[in-house]
């Protein structure tokens, strides 16, 4: 039996290529079997380097998990039944789950059953690789002392122990993992029956039973060898005997056990000279000793930390920036290569973005989730928009997607979408469906937007007429038809746009397989389509070929992609518990004792594999940075156990792991060289640019925040309403104002029995004109009915004492102010008495201004309306002394209405407030007409009574704590 290993510090692929070329036999003949395809592709480059750049004929290099008949020409393999397609298997399992109709906790809807079917498929594959018959193993795993719910789980698992084997037999198919096992056995049997003369080498650090059998055959071939990557020859025998599944060498120990071999049989092959500082492997081996051997830490030993650094950034963003700077710094040395190795896809994405800042395009070999590619995102946005009945947020996300063309160019489509957004999508949510948007547009205007909406309705027709429940395949076909129509441009069809490139081709293949698999499944609610689509795309990854734009010396690898590889500078990122290593979860089906009883691998086996990858990478790269942020996802992060052990070992010896300076680089990267304190904005536009006409509400704004008037009237900036904002009190107030105005437009008999019902009808008409959401409409209807009853009763009482000689609601007026200025206003209600006195009333559905604020001039609405009335602005019928200012608070709640007069019984105080308003008005206009007067932002912060929508352009966050320098 021929077993071999290279020194842990050796770069394995170059060492493997050199050993192959140095071994007897034709270097172009034979076969090398590696753990994955990425390592197999990288080995070709290692052969070229080992042959001094000269061309040579390579042996066959295959991945152990990618064996097939075409690649190996297996004897007898063609007699095996084919493997069932994964999507078809998942669909059949999902249908079996749905047939349970909720029994034993099974989901009743397809998306939930689809996700659960994926977990069942994973269990089937795991059992096939472990060569365990679940039908025989599972019934006896529940002992008397175990929880009752595990028995319920086993009843549910009859799907895979009883139903599924019968289905596979009827289909004459195999599980993919079972067929892989059969292929490995067929290859081993072929080599055992007729041992090949050429070299056959297998590289493996762990093995399932079938791969162990193949490895035993390979090790016994005349020119065969099994190479153990990342083998630790320094681990003491006592520690080796105490290994558990979470140790870095546990996989190699299992492989040796499966081969029936001992450590003494492993040959130590030489390797090219390594740049790794001597003693690195000894340090890491000592740090990762199993718990039973930790007493060895007390023995003196030379601990070499050269080339090892720790990166402890404050958070994830700083961590990504620091890692990008480390990779960029490595490029300063000609020929030096660098890579980030991490299982954290979020970190990888951040580092890719940070590297672009430095002009470096990195090759992210782990790929991109299909669901996050442009065509995948388009389909998901379309499904979500249809589910939400094309409400503003999901509809706009769809319309502004780069692939959205709607038969025109994407640029024109986005411009039209922005116009539709301003006209129909801003503010409270419109009524459901595209018809609700048409209601928002003016019938006699907005022609461009109406045409765009008509084109959109035609494009989305496949999704707008779906029944409440339909066949899943039919729902998916409707989604695809609408997506192709949306992606069409003036120059290309939607299919050509949507299915182009690697991502489009993979999405097309996935959906084609899904359509075939979904055929015959039970009907589902149309609203489940987005969740079903997410399930169909889950786990699919697009790996694009390396492009010329990517830097040849910088890479970003997942842990599996990095296996067997090495670079000059390696950053091992995401060394945080729960990331690297991932949680050791036993899975959703069986507990740890049950897995052990069934013969399945322990949950800690994945931790051991992660530890082996960590050990191999940290040993084989000359410069290694161990990156673990102190906080992750806004919470303290726990460093990976291997990093903690390493630091504890060094601390016990009076040493420390050197800190990499990149954390300081990242912290200082965006710090300005000097802080320049700027004063508050104090714009002083020329007199001709200053507004001459203001409304009464703008007078209050001018007093509290002059900068807002400057932004609106001088800069002509109009803030947009929020998207899909909640229907607020202002909308309810508009409904009340509109209903009261139409009701009071004609003379009424308030003592009539139907007066309250008639007012309620006017209020309901105003409500329906706004088309609020159904739930909100029902709530507001009850409030409006209470308001109607209160108003009729209060109005009848008023008219019995002081009937008005003239009455007007929503009365508009302009008032000429000295200096050529105009004050615009509108009185909610103004009435004149027979004796010439005038009353002004304001309707409030929310809070009523306090009398002290009216007196102080910060709430000047009613006093200014009184000034306009006394000046005759509201017409001769309402010209006269104002003797009453009042609010009607109309909430429609438990206290539906309340009459709140201002300064009731204090005519002198009322007169003082009105006179003060009349005197201050021309002075205020004149002050801000002066070019020397600045429009300050919040000169009196205590007077601000509204949300500042101009805080961004006034830079209030910069000077909010500063003294007023203006």
């Amino acid at each position: 039996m021929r077993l071999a290993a290279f020194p842990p510090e050796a770069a394995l692929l170059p060492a493997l290529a050199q050993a192959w070329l140095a071994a007897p036999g034709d270097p172009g003949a034979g076969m090398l079997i590696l753990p994955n395809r990425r390592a197999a592709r990288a080995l070709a480059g290692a052969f070229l380097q080992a042959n001094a750049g000269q061309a040579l004929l390579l042996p066959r290099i295959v991945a152990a998990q990618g064996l097939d008949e075409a690649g190996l020409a297996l004897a007898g393999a063609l007699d095996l039944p084919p493997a069932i397609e994964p999507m078809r298997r998942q669909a059949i399992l999902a249908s079996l789950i749905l047939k349970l109709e909720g029994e034993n906790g099974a989901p009743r809807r397809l998306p939930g059953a689809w996700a659960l079917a994926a977990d069942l498929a994973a269990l089937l594959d795991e059992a096939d690789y472990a060569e365990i018959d679940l039908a025989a193993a599972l019934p006896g795993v529940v002992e008397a002392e175990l929880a009752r719910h595990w028995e319920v789980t086993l009843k549910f698992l009859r799907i895979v122990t009883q139903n599924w084997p019968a289905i596979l037999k009827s289909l004459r198919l195999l599980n993919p993992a079972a067929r892989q096992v059969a292929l490995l056995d067929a290859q081993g049997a072929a080599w055992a029956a007729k041992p090949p003369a050429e070299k056959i080498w297998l590289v493996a650090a762990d093995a399932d039973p079938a791969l162990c059998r193949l490895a035993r055959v390979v090790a016994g071939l005349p020119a065969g060898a099994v190479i153990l990557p990342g083998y630790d020859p320094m681990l003491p025998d006592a520690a080796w005997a105490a290994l558990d599944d979470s140790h870095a060498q546990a996989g190699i120990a299992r492989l040796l056990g499966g081969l029936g071999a001992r450590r003494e049989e492993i040959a130590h092959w030489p390797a090219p000279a390594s740049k790794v500082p001597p003693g690195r492997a000894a340090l890491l081996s000592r740090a990762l000793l199993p718990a039973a051997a930790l007493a060895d830490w007390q023995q003196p030993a030379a601990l070499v930390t050269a080339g090892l650094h720790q990166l402890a950034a404050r958070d994830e963003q700083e961590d990504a920036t620091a890692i990008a700077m480390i990779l960029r710094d490595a490029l300063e040395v000609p020929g030096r290569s660098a890579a980030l190795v991490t299982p954290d896809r979020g970190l990888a994405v951040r580092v890719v973005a940070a590297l672009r800042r430095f002009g470096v395009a990195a090759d992210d070999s782990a790929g991109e989730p299909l669901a996050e590619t442009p065509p995948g995102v388009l389909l998901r946005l379309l499904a979500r928009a249809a589910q939400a009945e094309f409400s503003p947020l999901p509809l706009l996300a769809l319309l502004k997607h780069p692939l959205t063309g709607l038969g025109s160019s994407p640029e024109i489509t986005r411009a039209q979408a922005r116009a539709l957004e301003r006209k129909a999508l801003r503010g409270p949510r419109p009524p459901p469906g595209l018809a609700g948007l048409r209601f928002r547009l003016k019938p006699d205007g907005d022609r461009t937007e109406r045409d765009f909406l008509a084109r959109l309705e035609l494009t989305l027709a496949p999704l707008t007429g779906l029944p409440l429940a339909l066949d899943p395949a039919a729902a998916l076909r409707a989604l695809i038809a609408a997506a192709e129509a949306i992606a069409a441009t003036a120059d290309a069809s939607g299919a050509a746009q949507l299915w182009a490139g690697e991502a489009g081709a993979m999405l097309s293949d996935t959906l084609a397989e899904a359509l075939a698999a979904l055929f015959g499944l039970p009907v589902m609610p149309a609203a489940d389509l987005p969740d079903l689509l997410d399930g169909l795309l889950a786990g699919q990854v697009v790996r694009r070929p390396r492009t010329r734009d990517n830097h040849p010396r910088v890479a970003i690898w997942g842990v599996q992609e990095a296996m067997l590889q090495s670079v000059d500078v390696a950053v091992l990122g995401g060394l945080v518990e729960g990331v690297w290593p991932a949680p050791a979860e036993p899975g959703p089906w069986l507990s740890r004792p049950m897995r052990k009883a069934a013969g399945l691998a322990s949950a800690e086996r994945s931790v051991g594999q992660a530890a082996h990858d960590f050990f191999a990478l940290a040993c084989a790269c000359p410069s290694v940075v161990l990156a673990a942020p102190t906080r992750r996802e806004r919470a303290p992060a726990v460093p990976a156990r291997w990093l903690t052990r390493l630091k504890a070992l060094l601390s016990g010896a009076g040493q420390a792991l050197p800190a990499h300076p990149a954390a300081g680089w990242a912290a200082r990267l965006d710090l300005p060289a000097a802080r320049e304190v700027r004063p508050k904005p104090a714009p002083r536009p020329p007199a001709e640019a200053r507004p001459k006409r203001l409304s009464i509400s703008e007078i209050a704004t001018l007093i509290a925040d002059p900068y807002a008037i400057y932004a609106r009237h001088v800069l002509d900036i109009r803030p947009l309403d929020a998207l899909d904002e909640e229907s607020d009190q202002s909308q309810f107030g508009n409904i009340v104002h509109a209903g009261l105005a139409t009701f009071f437009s004609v003379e009424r008999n308030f003592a009539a029995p139907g007066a309250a019902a008639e007012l309620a009808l006017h209020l309901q008409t105003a409500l329906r004109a706004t088309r609020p959401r159904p739930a909100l409409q029902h709530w507001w209807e009850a409030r409006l009915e209470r308001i109607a009853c209160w108003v009729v009763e209060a109005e009848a009482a008023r008219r019995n004492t002081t009937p008005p000689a003239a009455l007007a609601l929503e009365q508009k007026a302009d008032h000429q102010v000295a200096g050529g200025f105009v004050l615009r206003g509108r009185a909610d209600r103004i009435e004149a008495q027979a004796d010439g006195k005038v009353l002004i009333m304001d309707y409030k559905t929310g809070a009523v201004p306090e009398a002290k604020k009216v007196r102080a001039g910060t709430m000047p609405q009613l006093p200014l309306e009184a000034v306009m009335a006394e000046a005759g602005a509201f017409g001769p019928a309402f010209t006269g002394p104002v003797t009453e200012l009042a609010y009607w608070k109309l909430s429609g709640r438990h206290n539906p209405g309340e009459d709140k007069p201002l300064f009731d019984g204090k005519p002198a105080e009322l007169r003082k407030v009105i006179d003060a308003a009349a005197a201050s008005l021309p002075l205020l206009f004149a002050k801000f007409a002066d070019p020397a007067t600045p429009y300050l932002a919040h000169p009196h912060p205590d007077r601000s009574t509204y949300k500042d929508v101009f805080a961004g352009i006034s830079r209030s966050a910069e000077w909010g704590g500063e003294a007023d320098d203006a």
Side-chain angles (χ1 to χ4, degrees), residues 947-966:
K947 181 181 178 181
D948 184 6
V949 295
F950 300 108
I953 61 173
S954 69
R955 310 190 319 274
S956 62
E958 297 180 22
W959 52 261
E962 305 278 341
D964 190 350
D965 299 323

Side-chain angles (χ1 to χ4, degrees), residues 378-628:
L378 179 68
L379 259 75
R380 292 170 60 215
L381 288 175
L382 178 57
R384 294 292 176 189
Q387 181 193 47
E389 298 183 279
F390 304 104
S391 60
L393 282 173
L395 178 61
L396 273 180
L398 173 66
L399 292 179
K400 294 186 179 182
H401 188 279
L403 286 177
T404 299
L406 298 178
S408 181
S409 70
E411 295 78 12
I412 293 176
T413 299
R414 282 195 291 275
Q416 293 173 331
R418 285 192 288 268
L420 181 67
E421 173 187 352
R422 290 191 294 269
K423 295 291 181 65
L425 296 175
R426 291 277 173 175
R429 179 181 295 187
L434 297 177
L437 301 184
R438 187 173 296 281
F439 165 75
R440 285 277 185 93
L441 298 175
K442 299 176 182 177
D444 54 347
D446 301 335
R447 180 59 183 270
T448 302
E449 291 76 17
R450 295 178 71 84
D451 291 344
F452 176 72
L453 186 57
R455 184 154 50 98
L456 183 61
E457 288 175 321
L458 183 62
T459 303
L460 296 175
L463 284 176
T464 54
L466 294 180
L468 293 179
L470 73 166
D471 176 72
L476 189 58
R477 281 194 294 270
L479 180 69
I480 293 171
E484 289 184 343
I486 283 177
T489 66
D491 304 321
S493 67
Q497 294 286 103
L498 194 59
W499 316 122
E502 295 87 357
M506 184 174 183
L507 181 61
S508 174
D509 294 342
T510 301
L511 295 180
E513 186 180 351
L515 284 172
L518 293 174
F519 179 77
L521 286 180
V523 296
M524 70 172 193
D528 284 351
L529 180 57
D531 295 331
L532 176 61
L533 179 63
D534 289 343
L536 295 175
L537 302 183
Q540 304 287 342
V541 178
V542 180
R543 289 183 170 88
R544 295 180 173 86
R546 190 181 182 100
T547 65
R548 295 180 181 179
D549 297 334
N550 292 333
H551 200 287
R553 293 191 282 130
V554 175
I556 296 179
W557 294 327
V559 178
Q560 293 300 316
E561 288 78 20
M563 186 182 295
L564 310 186
Q565 303 202 65
S566 60
V567 287
D568 297 315
V569 178
V571 180
L572 308 187
L575 286 173
V576 172
E577 288 293 320
V579 179
W580 192 4
E585 297 292 345
W589 306 116
L590 304 173
S591 65
R592 283 179 167 83
M594 293 167 67
R595 291 180 65 89
K596 183 177 180 180
L600 294 171
S602 69
E604 285 69 28
R605 183 167 176 174
S606 63
V607 177
Q609 293 169 343
H612 178 270
D613 296 332
F614 169 81
F615 175 79
L617 287 164
C619 285
C621 300
S623 179
V624 177
V625 180
L626 309 176

Side-chain angles (χ1 to χ4, degrees), residues 171-198:
L171 295 174
R172 297 182 181 180
L173 297 173
L174 290 176
N175 278 321
R179 195 169 194 280
Q180 186 71 23
V181 168
L183 286 174
L184 291 173
D185 285 339
Q187 182 63 79
W191 281 339
K194 187 178 180 180
E198 63 269 15

Side-chain angles (χ1 to χ4, degrees), residues 2 111 141 279 390:
R2 192 180 185 196
V141 300
F390 304 104

Side-chain angles (χ1 to χ4, degrees), residues 114-130:
W114 189 267
L116 205 58
D119 293 333
L120 287 177
L123 178 63
L124 286 171
D125 288 341
E126 185 180 7
D128 285 336
Y129 280 125

